[in-house]
């Protein structure tokens, strides 16, 4: 059977072009030193000494930055109401999201912000979700696929009866997360599974 003709406008190919553009971007501190305007996608990398992340960190040291620990998106406010591609003014939404992540890391007891870096790409808002989805599929980042909760926000007064996330259980320190109910699993149990997850991801790469 002959190969299907390449269609540059097929959505997977469009998404791949977005992710390729992100991975060609320079690695910067988290958050970036200078604010900027725009929405888009980003990847966060870790290269520190936290023992459970040893396999991942090895892939990011010596300026390799090959294994994101988390990928995400920041969309214009109107996009959350179905306004993709309708010319919403994004403001500094992507920069603010990266700064929020940095503030989360600064609050926890067992991570150091200096051990993190990021890449980001300003993207036309209609392609942002596709780019994020392909990055998650490509890298299976730990904090997206297994140790979830990093991107959570304070649920607000009256909603603290929900369970603390695996991320906040392993990395305690965010003041609002301390008000949540304990996770049904211990930090040791969650960490052990994270090590297994990373070992499997490394063996496939």
């Amino acid at each position: 059977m002959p190969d299907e003709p390449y269609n540059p406008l097929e959505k997977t190919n469009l998404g791949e072009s977005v992710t390729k553009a992100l991975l060609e971007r320079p690695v910067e501190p988290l958050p970036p030193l200078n604010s900027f305007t725009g929405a888009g996608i980003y990847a966060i990398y870790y290269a520190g000494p936290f023992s459970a992340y040893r396999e991942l960190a090895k892939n990011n040291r010596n300026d390799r930055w090959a294994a994101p620990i988390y990928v995400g998106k920041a969309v214009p406010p109107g996009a959350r109401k179905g306004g993709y591609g309708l010319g919403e003014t994004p403001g500094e939404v992507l920069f603010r999201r990266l700064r929020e992540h940095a503030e989360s890391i600064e609050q926890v007891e067992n991570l150091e912000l200096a051990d993190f870096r990021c890449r980001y790409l300003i993207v036309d808002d209609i392609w942002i979700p596709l780019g994020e989805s392909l990055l998650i599929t490509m890298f299976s980042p730990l904090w997206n696929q297994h140790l979830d909760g990093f991107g959570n926000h304070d649920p607000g007064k009256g909603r603290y009866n929900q369970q603390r996330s695996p991320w906040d259980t392993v990395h305690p320190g965010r003041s609002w997360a301390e008000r949540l109910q304990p996770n049904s699993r211990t930090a040791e149990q969650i960490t052990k599974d994270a090590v297994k997850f990373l070992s499997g991801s490394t063996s496939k790469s």
Side-chain angles (χ1 to χ4, degrees), residues 12 19 32 38 44 49 72 75 85 87 104 127 139 143 172 183 189 193 195 198 200-201:
T12 301
T19 57
I44 294 176
V75 298
S104 287
W127 306 117
F139 291 109
W143 289 357
N183 196 284
Q189 290 171 324
D193 283 351
V195 172
L198 288 173
S201 297

Side-chain angles (χ1 to χ4, degrees), residues 22-23 42-46 53 56 60 66-72 131-150 167 194 197-198 201-202:
L22 171 70
L23 297 176
Y42 58 89
I44 294 176
Y45 301 85
Y46 177 72
Y53 301 162
L56 180 146
N60 293 326
I69 196 168
Y70 184 79
V71 302
E132 181 196 36
S133 295
L134 284 175
L135 283 167
I136 292 173
T137 300
M138 184 183 300
F139 291 109
S140 295
L142 176 68
W143 289 357
N144 294 90
Q145 297 284 67
H146 186 75
L147 200 69
D148 66 291
F150 173 58
W167 191 89
F197 177 85
L198 288 173
S201 297
T202 302

Side-chain angles (χ1 to χ4, degrees), residues 14 59 69 74 103 137 155 178:
L14 288 167
N59 290 315
I69 196 168
E103 290 169 353
T137 300
E178 298 301 313

Side-chain angles (χ1 to χ4, degrees), residues 180-200:
L180 300 173
Q181 301 304 305
N183 196 284
S184 60
R185 306 179 72 222
T186 67
E188 290 74 18
Q189 290 171 324
I190 297 169
T191 301
K192 184 177 180 180
D193 283 351
V195 172
K196 290 181 181 178
F197 177 85
L198 288 173
S199 296

